[in-house]
Amino acid sequence: MTAGKRLLAGLVLMLAVPSLVACSGGRDSEYIMGLRDGRLLVTRGKPQFDDKAGVYNYRGQDGIKGSIGKDEVVQIIER
């Protein structure tokens, strides 16, 4: 490999790595909510419990907000 090709390969890596880190760094963690009826809900970010209303508020994989009663949720785990 010539010096010019090595320099070009190094330059490409220097530009590509920060771009990949930026793309993956902002992702929310996914959580799985196990429900009493056996369903599994995958959420973006950790579901937040609203003590006043007695529900978990979450954002689904499709980005749509939802809520579910505390009594319906068996467990919540991070994926």
Side-chain angles (χ1 to χ4, degrees), residues 31-72:
Y31 284 78
I32 300 172
M33 297 173 59
L35 305 182
R36 189 168 302 286
D37 64 5
R39 289 182 297 151
L40 299 175
L41 291 177
V42 180
T43 68
R44 284 189 195 171
K46 188 173 184 177
Q48 299 298 310
F49 183 67
D50 181 345
D51 194 35
K52 216 176 218 184
V55 298
Y56 283 98
N57 295 310
Y58 64 92
R59 187 175 298 272
Q61 283 183 305
D62 54 6
I64 297 174
K65 292 180 181 179
S67 61
I68 191 157
K70 173 179 98 171
D71 295 339
E72 295 299 314

Side-chain angles (χ1 to χ4, degrees), residues 20-29:
L20 291 173
V21 170
C23 289
S24 65
R27 263 184 80 191
D28 287 332
S29 296

